[in-house]
Amino acid sequence: MILEHAPALIVLSPLTAGLTIKVMSRFPHSKASRDFIAFFGLLIPILFLFFVSRRSVIIYEMGGWPAPYTITLILDGLSISMALITGIITLSTFVYYVETLDIRKDADDYHFLFLFMTTGLYGVFLTGDLVNRFVFFEITILTTYVLLTFIGTRESLRASYRYLVIGSIASVMFLAGIALVYFHTGHLDLYALSALIPEFPAHTKNIIFIFFLVAVGIKLGIIPFHTWLADTHVHAPTPMTAILAGLTVKTGGYIMLKLFHIGFDTILIRYMVVGLGAFTAIFGAAISLKYFDMKRILAWLTISHMGVIALTLAIWTPESVASSLLYLVNHSFYKALLFLGVGGLAYLYGTSDIRELPIMKSNVLLSSSIFIGLLALAGVPPFNGFYSRWLILDTVQDPVIYSVIVITTILTVSSALRILLLANKSVVGKNKNLTGGMLLPIVILAGLCSFIGLTTSLVGRNLIEPAVVSIFGEPGTVLVPMGIEIQSLISFHGMIIFISIFIGYALFLAVESIHPDWIEGLLSNVSISNSVRYIILILAILLLLNVLF
Amino acid sequence: MLNGINVGLITIFIGLYGITITKNAIKIMMCLGVMSSGVIILFVSVAYTPGYGAPIVGNPGLMVDPIPQSVMVTAIVIELATVALGLAMVHYLYKSYGTLDTTCYEEEVI
């Protein structure tokens, strides 16, 4: 059966397509054949992921050696869910950019790099080995650096340079963490490690995890490691903003989940991540209220959402991990939709300042899709953002964390409403038109946001529960309740979310900004040397905490 | 104690410190090189066992685990690619801004 080889073929098909396009670019070829090959390279993994069983585990041993000595690729519930989001978002961004590329000379290179980046993303999610996760992440991130500069402006170059410096620090810290793990175990395979690491003394675990936390924090973009995120989102080409917000930052969350899974789950580690996550969730959303550039607002909201994801992961019960994963999936879809949408608006009107963009008075399909995306972001039922937020409130027991989530909700709602209400109300003339290929993925993603919202219990049963089962084993309780679509509307937590929406609206009307200026000066537009100072500072603080407790 | 692990960790932090005190875009790239060298020293010395030989077929006696060394070959290649890409970016940054001072690359945000 070909499905036995699914893990290898999922990683190999974008890789093969990319290499084929690179070879083809040396010879005369038609654009249609090139686009066709790239499209199939991105489509085949999705087909495989639909047909493999979500309840069983496929462990694929590359090269034919037995498990501890070889590179393994693993398809279990978790990696299937993550790879499926990767497939859907990469394919829709591909459809978005493919028509606009025809005028460029270096379109072949763009295809090649994009397909390699997709390979890296699949590899990060599928591999069962720490070092290969590092290598695949480097494939993703190196191609991302180049793709970010394809827009050709000097701002994109500057943002990409900063990302390169900070991303390299993440790589070095990750390697240092791997070296320390190897020092204590002599293994690099995750299955072998998951048997050995739980027996470490807590002290050792904490010190190793601090190195990993810097690396994963930079990938996730949680404060104070967020300094690369906003600029890259603002200045990058549109398809890359959707990939960055939808997928690249999620790899950080996935790696953090895997680290918790193999045994780095002491109390101190979880407190550290909860603390950073809570801080990020509140201040990311608060600072987003300051800006008028729609891409920058969305980028700061991404930071805030990543804080929520880190926070709920670190609680580390089956229920909280399920809610975190649902939040992650939904966030991928509506953020990709919003970034593609605002990219379309910027293409039409040449700006992304919300005071000049007629967000609601543009092309009907584009406007209604962005409207759906903003409602999902604000957490209005029946769109998907509401249900993931409800599930988080439903599973969180601790009153402090509960209030952090509620405050974040209020600020996020205020920010989303601000985009809607400050937008230009008049009709602005445009000299370009969106092509069908650019509109199609936006409309499909908007449809997915509504569809996932309306069928949350199905998504929970087919994507989230298998993922949680692959981490914790059979949970025994229902993680995503059947009938969540109706039940959540009339529950206590649903009421809390509705009240937060109104408070968010009042907040928008009442105040211009809700945080003192020095916080913004500290956290936004940080120079390269200052961001590295933050990293050293947080390393020192965490190591000190570890010595004290 | 002066062993490979400590030297590696200290070299990593020297590289990090270097990035905080320099504003020159090329020197930042050099600091990244120093950091990567540090992590390579760390990893190779972690894998070393006293009395064991190099992992080459035909060597007499016991050999060290070859996996970390192969990992480090990969890491060296990745570092090479990163620094080469970074320097290419520095080249274009210099062409468009006319300076290597990274503080001059900042601008106003809305």
Side-chain angles (χ1 to χ4, degrees), chain A residues 220-283:
Chain A
L220 260 174
I222 51 179
I223 295 172
F225 311 114
H226 66 288
T227 46
W228 60 272
L229 201 144
D231 271 8
T232 44
H233 281 66
V234 173
H235 298 301
T238 306
M240 283 316 295
T241 55
I243 294 279
L244 272 175
L247 296 172
T248 312
V249 292
K250 306 296 189 297
T251 56
Y254 179 79
I255 295 173
M256 185 179 272
L257 177 58
K258 277 288 174 189
L259 288 173
F260 285 143
H261 182 201
I262 60 174
F264 290 103
D265 54 358
T266 61
I267 302 287
L268 184 65
I269 287 173
R270 282 161 52 199
Y271 270 116
M272 289 189 306
V273 178
V274 166
L276 286 177
F279 187 79
T280 307
I282 291 176
F283 284 96

Side-chain angles (χ1 to χ4, degrees), chain A residues 284-319:
Chain A
I287 291 176
S288 77
L289 286 169
K290 187 93 176 179
Y291 294 114
F292 290 100
D293 188 330
M294 185 163 164
K295 287 185 179 176
R296 202 174 282 277
I297 297 171
L298 292 175
W300 276 97
L301 287 177
T302 302
I303 294 174
S304 158
H305 284 72
M306 289 303 112
V308 175
I309 286 171
L311 170 71
T312 42
L313 274 183
I315 299 171
W316 201 240
T317 57
E319 292 82 13

Side-chain angles (χ1 to χ4, degrees), chain A residues 1 9 130 132 175 249 261-262 280 301 331-332 407 424 474 536:
Chain A
M1 270 294 280
L9 290 172
L130 268 181
N132 278 298
L175 264 184
V249 292
H261 182 201
I262 60 174
T280 307
L301 287 177
H331 177 259
S332 285
I407 293 170
N424 196 344
E474 289 294 337
I536 295 177

